[in-house]
Amino acid sequence: MMRLFTLVAVIGLSIWSLPPAFGKTDSDTLTKKEAVELALKEYSGKTLKITNQGSYYIIRILGSNGRVLDVQVDKKTGAVRKD
């Protein structure tokens, strides 16, 4: 009985310590959805397009004034700036 408990405990801890297959790990970057949320906090409007450009996303936003704006969002830091 004690062997079974030990085996179950070891297997459970091993599985628990593995990184999630589809979740975030420490080295992961922002998702597109998170990048859009950050961009829209800085520049209100409607998202038109999201482009993956290496270390950042480019979010194209249609502003309330009718102008189109491209915004860069850094994938690691979440920094937002006009393109």
Side-chain angles (χ1 to χ4, degrees), residues 16-78:
W16 180 69
S17 66
L18 292 173
F22 298 104
K24 282 191 148 201
T25 63
D26 292 335
S27 63
D28 279 349
T29 58
L30 293 173
T31 65
K32 286 182 178 183
K33 183 177 179 180
E34 292 167 331
V36 168
E37 289 172 359
L38 290 171
L40 292 176
K41 281 183 182 178
E42 295 289 323
Y43 303 98
S44 62
K46 180 180 176 183
T47 305
L48 298 176
K49 185 177 180 181
I50 307 160
T51 307
N52 188 347
Q53 292 288 324
S55 63
Y56 56 89
Y57 292 111
I58 296 180
I59 315 294
R60 182 161 287 166
I61 298 172
L62 175 62
S64 56
N65 60 0
R67 298 188 77 174
V68 175
L69 174 70
D70 285 338
V71 176
Q72 287 184 357
V73 180
D74 188 285
K75 290 180 180 179
K76 293 254 185 214
T77 66

